[in-house]
Amino acid sequence: MRRRAAFLGLLGALALPGAALARCEGVVPGQRVQNADRDFVGQDLDEIVERGWIEFAVYEDLPPYSWEEGGEPQGIDIGLGRIIAEALGVEPRFRFVTSGENLEADLRYNVWQGLPMGGADNIVANVMLHVPYDSTFACRVEQVVFSGQAYREQVAIAYRQDVYPEDVPTPAYFRFDLVAVENDTIADFYLASFEGGQMNANIRRFPSMALAMEALNRGDVPAAMGPRAMLEAGAGSGVLVATPPLPGLAVGAWTVGIAVHHSHRDLGYAVDDAIAAALADGRVAALFENAGLSFTPPER
């Protein structure tokens, strides 16, 4: 989630009231990185089909979206990659990547430039999965095409039913009760600033959402806040997940899609068609249902 925190902060800023602008009007593209001498990187759609496989960049250790278990890729995004590969008639391959300092760095390293000083085998992936979509952000990053919106994620609250038997806790409860979050995420930033920082002393920060949920399951804290799918995936017996109102949070939900290099728009169109077909016939929804997770269709 830390990889998305800066991006979601940007979404919050963009959601503030202001004049309506045409898409990309008034948006200054990000400065191009020096020594990025190739405008065409990776493989186009025909080359991918001819060689018989497609490579996806996915985040490591990000359940329930993507992780490895016994050497095998697992998760919602892995299933989505397999759906795309099947539609293209090729084999899916997954490259697990770590997160950079922000989303723009992740896109630079995995979609349009590669790692600096990465060596001869340092090449970008054909498609990056689990990329939050925002129209204004897309205008800033000219080197990337954002497509394939597959599902919606939102901030939610998990809580122990034995502590809150009659009502769902809202952020105001955490002025008095402990709450677990992943460090440096949108939930962390939101609660730390809520009502002038009144609940800072009650926030318990963890390196990952999975560890925060373990603390909740043990009863160390009565509640946790973060992405709904992560909360649902980590919820143990007696733990419920709800989406109460979050006052003051400008953007509490976001669409998740894919990213490809701008020179491979044909690939982006093909991937988008594959995901649209899987949304229409229920295969994307089935990925969530089979994992015991709630599914919200994307805004496309």
Side-chain angles (χ1 to χ4, degrees):
M1 185 63 176
R2 183 160 45 254
R3 65 191 112 273
R4 296 183 297 281
F7 176 78
L8 295 173
L10 169 66
L11 291 186
L14 294 174
L16 294 174
L21 298 174
R23 185 176 185 274
C24 295
E25 182 179 346
V27 178
V28 179
Q31 184 176 0
R32 293 182 178 273
V33 176
Q34 292 182 350
N35 301 323
D37 56 351
R38 295 183 298 167
D39 288 331
F40 185 93
V41 300
Q43 296 79 34
D44 62 26
L45 179 58
D46 290 340
E47 290 172 319
I48 291 169
V49 172
E50 182 178 357
R51 76 181 181 186
W53 56 272
I54 183 171
E55 184 179 59
F56 298 96
V58 294
Y59 288 114
E60 65 179 12
D61 299 327
L62 192 66
Y65 308 111
S66 54
W67 76 97
E68 283 188 286
E69 187 173 318
E72 289 295 320
Q74 306 285 340
I76 298 297
D77 292 334
I78 302 302
L80 190 64
R82 289 172 174 151
I83 286 173
I84 295 168
E86 181 180 11
L88 299 182
V90 297
E91 170 198 347
R93 297 184 182 181
F94 300 96
R95 180 197 301 181
F96 285 87
V97 301
T98 58
S99 59
E101 64 271 18
N102 54 39
L103 180 60
E104 290 182 69
D106 292 349
L107 295 170
R108 180 165 68 249
Y109 298 152
N110 298 295
V111 176
W112 65 270
Q113 185 186 27
L115 291 169
M117 308 297 291
D121 60 346
N122 180 47
I123 58 174
V124 300
N126 300 121
V127 177
M128 187 168 186
L129 299 174
H130 205 83
V131 177
Y133 177 78
D134 173 74
S135 180
T136 302
F137 182 79
C139 293
R140 282 180 45 193
V141 186
E142 292 182 314
Q143 302 89 346
V144 175
V145 172
F146 300 87
S147 183
Q149 286 74 42
Y151 54 89
R152 292 274 286 174
E153 184 55 284
Q154 67 182 111
V155 178
I157 294 176
Y159 62 98
R160 296 188 60 87
Q161 193 173 19
D162 56 352
V163 179
Y164 305 102
E166 298 180 356
D167 53 0
V168 175
T170 64
Y173 281 57
F174 306 135
R175 291 177 296 175
F176 312 101
D177 299 341
L178 299 179
V179 58
V181 299
E182 182 179 351
N183 191 43
D184 290 338
T185 61
I186 188 172
D188 184 5
F189 299 150
Y190 170 70
L191 291 176
S193 61
F194 189 78
E195 294 191 350
Q198 294 184 31
M199 57 190 65
N200 263 322
N202 290 329
I203 299 173
R204 297 295 179 265
R205 297 174 172 88
F206 293 85
S208 70
M209 201 68 245
L211 291 175
M213 290 303 294
E214 288 178 12
L216 175 61
N217 292 331
R218 288 194 304 267
D220 297 345
V221 294
M225 188 172 178
R228 182 179 63 182
M230 287 184 164
L231 302 184
E232 291 179 342
S237 176
V239 172
L240 302 179
V241 178
T243 55
L246 302 175
L249 182 58
V251 179
W254 56 97
T255 300
V256 180
I258 64 97
V260 299
H261 191 272
H262 74 89
S263 61
H264 299 309
R265 293 177 184 272
D266 56 342
L267 175 59
Y269 297 145
V271 171
D272 190 68
D273 287 345
I275 291 176
L279 283 167
D281 64 21
R283 282 177 291 160
V284 176
L287 293 176
F288 286 80
E289 181 180 353
N290 294 338
L293 306 174
S294 302
F295 171 68
T296 303
E299 295 180 358
R300 291 175 59 89

